[in-house]
Amino acid sequence: MSFLELTVYLERNQSELYTRIQGDIKDLTKTKLVSLTHLDSSFIIDNKTSSIVLLWFDEAIRDKQKFLLENYPEIPYILLSSNDLTEQELLDFAHPTRMFLSAKLYSITMLQMMLDFSERFISDMNRSFEFDRMKERIAVLENVFEESLDILVQVDPSSKEIIGINKQALSALGYDREELLGKDFSILLPIVSSDVDAEFEGSLIAGSALQTKMGPIIPTESSFRLFPANGKMAIWATFRDITERKIAQEAVKSQKAFYEFILDNIDSDISVLDNKFRYEYSNPKLVTSQEIRKWLNKKTDYEFAMKMNFPPDFAEVRRTHLERASKENDIVEFEEMISDEHDVKKYILRKYIPISEAGTRRFISYGIDITDRKLAEERISYLAYYDALTGLSNRTLFIDHANQALKNPNKQNDIFAFYFFDIDNFKFINDSLGHAKGDMLLQMVGARLKRIMPEVDTVARFGGDEFAILKLDVENKGKAAEFAQKILDILSQPFHITGRDLYTTISMGIAMSPGDGLATQELLKNADMAMYKAKDLGRNNYRFYSPELIERSEKRLYIENSLRKAIQNNELSLFFQPQISMKTGRVCGAEALIRWKHPERGWVPPSEFIPVAEDSGMIERIGDWVLEEACKNKQRWNQQNLNGFNVSINVSGKQLKRNNWAQKVQATLEQFQIKDEEIELELTESSIMENPEKSIEAFRYLSDLGIKVSIDDFGTGYSSLSYLKKIDADNLKIDRSFVIDLETNEDDQAICRAIINMAVSLGMEVIAEGVETEIQRDLLKSFGCHIIQGYFYSKPLPISEFEVFVRKINT
């Protein structure tokens, strides 16, 4: 629809319908919404914009209607009412368009239709006003026609009769108006005969001469145009007396053969200039318009540049080379660039060739179009320093600017800020929406950055979704933070891509020079390190570099290298934490938990090495090992008749993304002869929501095999209940953060009760983690929780201790 340019004046109201209309109008791009409190003399509508008023039907409707009809009769309005209006109420108070909206009939589609109709109504009224203005312009044109210094004649095209003639024509031709009106137009044309000068031959068609009443013939320049007059078409003939020009043309006839030779033999723009650098001739290659070429005679490049809106230095550069050609009496060659009014650039290789004839110095201006070659050269140079997708600087140009700034600061105490950021979850956007829309997003990000960047600063795309900014002359860390927040704010606004709004966030790191480094690569590395700190803290934020980040980075690298050795040296082991049934009091399950005993550091907390395994990709290999080790122990326990409980295995979101992960699980169970129902797979809800469709596909496959599925840490993520239902999980695990303060925190009690009720309604069992006290256990049991896991019963145990625990509880 086309109503996006409307200004909508919406009267305030306390109803739900008002809130809906206000929200829907705000969502319409470019539609301006103005809220009204009172309709009185303080209410002013901008007549320059298309506007519509939305009024509420209430006890004051008659006064409001009267005010609008008296002050803004051209502005339509729509009646709003929470209840339907009767036919009589519409007759009494509705706008002639009879538009109204009630809560019962309201929808955004209906609102859009009415706004579109209103805009068309306004457009029709505007056309009426435009018609009146057109009549005024016609009156002006009639005055211009009469007072023109050219000879103007209006002719009926069917009868060839003269139907109008101006004062200049009557004066130049020697007629009275009554002598010409109604006469055949041929009365003004010279009679062609054998003794007439050949100069005027063919003038009946070309209109190159007019016959005066007293006999002399006036050579003219003419044009003929059709135009409507009084409901029918007429010919507007314009004649300009060119007697003096004819005399001048006679003087240059001797050079005609010379000009024709140039035109016939040179396929480029060609001009001839006199010794004062004025144009005597130019061919169509220089200017396609014949009228401009005629005008150009005896004009200089300064006048030519003003006429064609060429760059300011256009004429000065040409004059410099012309003077050199004149002084040296030799050919001068140079390149020039010309931009037209549409900013289209054309590159010309120009030569000035001095010639002398009969003691007269002239210059031939000869131009060869080399635009294609120059554009190719510029494109090669551009690609070397700019990003082809976004038009921003690339890494090479950014580093060059940064090196120059660091090497030559404006002041001794200059502070430079290096910003490095990427788009959060950009890979997911690319995978789900496609690379074409991902590219569109990158282009829009680049465009927004350009709008807020001062010219002295540099913004670059390093590749993928990585961007860098060099900000010069930063006053202090606070100002650097303000600019970082400005970037976060502008990039958090929705991007409208092919009909949908896409919301994104970024994670940004900032390094300041000289405090955080003196070299470009060092500062970029530190900003990159700070960016990953921002990601660790939840994304959609920024962090400044600090020396502690180096220590943290070195520690992480140490853990990563040690973890790789740990996998090779079999330093990893499994512990099992019992899960107790509230119904039987027996061990009904056990969660397999990975532990790492470093040969030097001792036990390394999982919170340290699991995130490193996730980021480095080792988690998939570790996950496969945990699955096999847990199944191997389950097989041994079954052989020892130590059974009656399931084994829960944690699954990483990265494992879930593998195409063959579900088949890997099935093959491992078959290898160790484990029944499908004896294994339970746990995945956090946040990991599921990273790729919900892939999760649904994998879990359905496993569910069909009989393998139980459990959603871990429920309540801490952002899962959709519709996805939760599609996954068809068997168990929900309440996160320990809701259990810690369960005895005293009523909110936690309400949350736990709600999760348990929801799970039961979906046919799932509930496991509560982190239970440490008897009160917590009893409360959860009273809420209907099925299974308890926590230190109240047992901490995670090595295999031998776990076996002892199970035998003690279950026998």
Side-chain angles (χ1 to χ4, degrees):
M1 295 186 176
S2 60
F3 55 79
L4 297 179
E5 299 295 335
L6 276 176
T7 298
V8 181
Y9 294 84
L10 175 61
E11 186 181 9
R12 292 182 180 274
N13 193 271
Q14 298 298 322
S15 66
E16 180 182 352
L17 179 58
Y18 169 80
T19 303
R20 291 179 62 191
I21 293 174
Q22 185 185 44
D24 289 341
I25 292 176
K26 285 181 178 180
D27 289 339
L28 300 177
T29 306
K30 296 184 181 178
T31 300
K32 182 179 179 182
L33 175 64
V34 179
S35 295
L36 300 180
T37 305
H38 301 289
L39 276 176
D40 51 29
S41 58
S42 63
F43 172 63
I44 300 175
I45 294 180
D46 184 2
N47 291 323
K48 296 180 180 180
T49 62
S50 297
S51 304
I52 184 170
V53 181
L54 275 62
L55 294 178
W56 288 95
F57 183 83
D58 53 26
E59 63 276 1
I61 184 60
R62 189 176 297 280
D63 293 336
K64 294 186 287 188
Q65 180 194 41
K66 181 181 178 183
F67 175 84
L68 285 176
L69 291 176
E70 290 178 352
N71 294 278
Y72 300 101
E74 73 281 10
I75 303 299
Y77 61 87
I78 299 174
L79 279 183
L80 304 177
S81 174
S82 297
N83 304 314
D84 289 341
L85 301 181
T86 65
E87 191 67 19
Q88 188 60 44
E89 288 171 335
L90 289 175
L91 287 173
D92 292 343
F93 302 105
H95 188 270
T97 58
R98 291 177 64 81
M99 293 186 295
F100 83 98
L101 282 172
S102 66
K104 180 179 179 181
L105 297 175
Y106 180 79
S107 68
I108 189 171
T109 302
M110 181 66 73
L111 176 64
Q112 290 174 331
M113 290 176 59
M114 287 193 176
L115 292 179
D116 185 57
F117 174 80
S118 300
E119 188 185 51
R120 296 173 186 273
F121 177 83
I122 295 168
S123 177
D124 290 342
M125 294 191 67
N126 289 338
R127 280 196 291 271
S128 175
F129 297 149
E130 181 63 26
F131 178 74
D132 293 338
R133 289 192 290 269
M134 189 181 298
K135 290 194 292 187
E136 295 176 1
R137 288 197 294 270
I138 291 174
V140 172
L141 289 175
E142 288 176 348
N143 184 63
V144 170
F145 173 86
E146 187 64 24
E147 301 299 329
S148 174
L149 296 179
D150 289 331
I151 298 171
L152 303 178
V153 183
Q154 295 175 358
V155 181
D156 187 323
S158 58
S159 65
K160 304 298 187 297
E161 292 179 354
I162 298 172
I163 58 176
I165 191 164
N166 71 343
K167 290 191 295 186
Q168 178 65 20
L170 297 174
S171 174
L173 299 174
Y175 284 98
D176 292 330
R177 192 179 301 275
E178 292 75 13
E179 293 178 284
L180 292 178
L181 291 178
K183 300 296 191 297
D184 192 286
F185 178 69
S186 61
I187 192 174
L188 300 179
L189 299 178
I191 299 173
V192 179
S193 60
S194 57
D195 59 346
V196 175
D197 191 295
E199 181 67 32
F200 301 103
E201 201 166 332
S203 59
L204 281 172
I205 298 175
S208 59
L210 290 176
Q211 178 77 57
T212 64
K213 180 178 180 180
M214 302 305 295
I217 294 174
I218 301 175
T220 63
E221 180 181 76
S222 60
S223 64
F224 299 87
R225 293 181 177 86
L226 280 174
F227 74 100
N230 300 322
K232 60 181 182 179
M233 300 303 294
I235 298 173
W236 184 317
T238 302
F239 300 91
R240 180 164 295 174
D241 190 334
I242 57 171
T243 302
E244 292 184 3
R245 187 187 302 175
K246 285 291 184 181
I247 295 173
Q249 288 174 347
E250 289 294 327
V252 298
K253 276 187 177 180
S254 59
Q255 284 82 31
K256 185 177 181 180
F258 173 71
Y259 294 143
E260 289 177 348
F261 173 80
I262 297 176
L263 288 175
D264 291 344
N265 292 276
I266 300 180
D267 186 21
S268 298
D269 78 68
I270 182 74
S271 304
V272 178
L273 293 83
D274 63 17
N275 60 350
K276 295 182 179 179
F277 308 146
R278 297 176 301 184
Y279 284 87
E280 291 186 345
Y281 169 80
S282 60
N283 73 345
K285 289 285 185 178
L286 179 71
V287 182
T288 56
S289 170
Q290 183 178 4
E291 183 178 351
I292 294 178
R293 292 202 309 276
K294 290 180 179 178
W295 168 88
L296 192 56
N297 186 49
K298 296 301 179 182
K299 300 293 191 305
T300 65
D301 278 319
Y302 291 97
E303 296 167 293
F304 185 35
M306 293 181 62
K307 180 77 170 178
M308 304 300 292
N309 293 320
F310 288 154
D313 62 343
F314 168 85
E316 191 63 40
V317 170
R318 285 194 168 191
R319 185 172 185 87
T320 299
H321 291 290
L322 278 167
E323 289 176 346
R324 179 184 161 199
S326 177
K327 181 180 179 180
E328 299 177 359
N329 195 29
D330 199 0
I331 298 174
V332 172
E333 183 178 298
F334 65 98
E335 292 182 5
E336 63 181 351
M337 187 274 287
I338 303 173
S339 298
D340 62 17
E341 65 273 14
H342 304 294
D343 201 30
V344 176
K345 297 178 180 179
K346 183 167 67 172
Y347 295 89
I348 303 296
L349 176 63
R350 185 158 303 284
K351 293 182 180 181
Y352 284 136
I353 306 171
I355 57 174
S356 297
E357 182 182 23
T360 302
R361 171 68 65 86
R362 289 187 174 88
F363 301 89
I364 296 176
S365 175
Y366 175 70
I368 304 171
D369 191 333
I370 58 171
T371 302
D372 290 342
R373 189 190 81 191
K374 293 294 291 186
L375 290 179
E377 293 174 355
E378 287 184 358
R379 182 62 177 169
I380 292 171
S381 176
Y382 177 86
L383 291 175
Y385 294 103
Y386 291 90
D387 176 53
L389 180 64
T390 63
L392 301 176
S393 303
N394 62 12
R395 180 192 294 267
T396 301
L397 187 57
F398 181 91
I399 292 174
D400 181 60
H401 285 180
N403 288 340
Q404 291 181 31
L406 293 170
K407 184 178 179 180
N408 303 302
N410 294 328
K411 300 185 294 244
Q412 188 173 1
N413 59 346
D414 266 359
I415 300 175
F416 304 140
F418 283 69
Y419 300 81
F420 194 82
F421 67 89
D422 65 13
I423 301 171
D424 296 331
N425 300 315
F426 182 73
K427 184 178 186 302
F428 175 74
I429 295 172
N430 253 352
D431 293 343
S432 57
L433 300 182
H435 289 274
K437 292 181 181 177
D439 287 348
M440 291 176 64
L441 173 61
L442 294 173
Q443 290 172 331
M444 291 180 176
V445 168
R448 290 189 185 181
L449 292 174
K450 288 179 185 176
R451 290 203 300 268
I452 66 171
M453 291 301 300
E455 290 186 5
V456 296
D457 299 331
T458 303
V459 57
R461 177 182 175 230
F462 274 26
D465 63 324
E466 293 182 337
F467 294 83
I469 293 174
L470 169 63
K471 191 157 185 63
L472 306 179
D473 195 19
V474 181
E475 294 180 19
N476 50 51
K477 194 173 183 178
K479 292 296 183 181
E482 288 179 10
F483 185 72
Q485 188 60 52
K486 183 177 182 180
I487 296 172
L488 260 67
D489 291 341
I490 195 172
L491 296 184
S492 65
Q493 298 300 314
F495 293 89
H496 193 68
I497 298 178
T498 60
R500 65 180 295 177
D501 285 338
L502 180 63
Y503 292 84
T504 64
T505 60
I506 66 169
S507 298
M508 174 185 291
I510 309 170
M512 310 279 286
S513 175
D516 298 332
L518 299 175
T520 299
Q521 294 297 345
E522 179 185 12
L523 288 159
L524 284 174
K525 181 193 73 173
N526 292 341
D528 182 53
M529 196 180 304
M531 179 189 74
Y532 278 99
K533 176 61 178 176
K535 289 184 179 294
D536 291 342
L537 296 177
R539 304 174 188 268
N540 191 26
N541 58 48
Y542 63 87
R543 283 294 178 271
F544 283 91
Y545 167 80
S546 64
E548 291 78 10
L549 289 178
I550 292 183
E551 297 178 9
R552 190 177 293 111
S553 177
E554 292 175 349
K555 181 179 179 181
R556 184 192 180 282
L557 183 60
Y558 171 77
I559 291 176
E560 181 178 340
N561 292 333
S562 298
L563 186 57
R564 293 186 188 278
K565 294 179 182 178
I567 297 173
Q568 297 172 1
N569 299 334
N570 297 318
E571 296 172 11
L572 302 177
S573 60
L574 281 188
F575 278 35
F576 293 86
Q577 186 171 29
Q579 297 172 340
I580 308 301
S581 169
M582 289 292 92
K583 183 177 181 181
T584 66
R586 295 165 61 89
V587 176
C588 62
E591 182 177 2
L593 300 168
I594 191 169
R595 294 293 184 264
W596 175 22
K597 190 173 184 180
H598 191 276
E600 298 174 0
R601 293 184 56 195
W603 293 103
V604 181
S607 59
E608 285 192 20
F609 71 85
I610 292 297
V612 174
E614 289 272 2
D615 293 340
S616 63
M618 286 187 283
I619 194 67
E620 295 185 37
R621 183 176 174 186
I622 293 174
D624 291 343
W625 176 85
V626 170
L627 175 64
E628 293 180 6
E629 196 70 14
C631 289
K632 184 189 300 182
N633 281 284
K634 182 59 178 171
Q635 181 189 46
R636 184 172 56 82
W637 292 331
N638 287 343
Q639 292 169 352
Q640 297 173 359
N641 292 322
L642 187 66
N643 46 33
F645 60 89
N646 300 327
V647 174
S648 299
I649 301 170
N650 289 287
V651 179
S652 164
K654 294 188 182 298
Q655 289 177 270
L656 195 61
K657 293 178 181 179
R658 281 167 35 190
N659 292 329
N660 63 343
W661 173 74
Q663 289 76 14
K664 168 69 175 176
V665 173
Q666 182 184 12
T668 304
L669 267 61
E670 292 175 353
Q671 176 186 351
F672 293 100
Q673 299 176 340
I674 305 298
K675 295 179 181 179
D676 298 328
E677 62 271 16
E678 293 181 316
I679 292 296
E680 183 177 311
L681 301 175
E682 291 188 13
L683 190 71
T684 61
E685 60 170 330
S686 56
S687 296
I688 292 172
M689 293 310 296
E690 286 181 8
N691 196 339
E693 300 299 335
K694 194 78 172 178
S695 301
I696 291 170
E697 179 185 346
F699 280 133
R700 280 182 177 170
Y701 179 86
L702 295 171
S703 181
D704 291 341
L705 296 177
I707 298 173
K708 290 186 177 181
V709 173
S710 177
I711 299 178
D712 196 8
D713 298 340
F714 187 79
T716 61
Y718 49 91
S719 61
S720 162
L721 291 179
S722 62
Y723 280 126
L724 188 63
K725 183 178 178 182
K726 291 177 183 178
I727 288 173
D728 193 23
D730 298 281
N731 297 330
L732 282 185
K733 296 190 74 174
I734 301 176
D735 186 71
R736 67 186 306 273
S737 61
F738 300 118
V739 177
I740 293 173
D741 300 322
L742 193 61
E743 302 99 317
T744 58
N745 192 312
E746 294 183 359
D747 290 339
D748 285 345
Q749 293 177 18
I751 291 172
C752 289
R753 189 183 292 110
I755 292 174
I756 293 169
N757 291 337
M758 180 194 68
V760 170
S761 67
L762 293 175
M764 292 184 279
E765 287 192 329
V766 180
I767 304 171
E769 292 183 302
V771 179
E772 298 181 357
T773 69
E774 184 177 0
I775 297 176
Q776 292 173 352
R777 181 201 65 181
D778 292 342
L779 279 171
L780 289 165
K781 185 177 181 180
S782 69
F783 296 160
C785 184
H786 305 95
I787 301 171
I788 297 295
Q789 177 181 342
Y791 276 36
F792 177 70
Y793 287 104
S794 174
K795 64 181 181 180
L797 300 171
I799 294 173
S800 58
E801 294 180 23
F802 172 75
E803 293 172 355
V804 172
F805 182 88
V806 174
R807 287 191 176 94
K808 179 180 178 181
I809 298 295
N810 286 9
T811 56

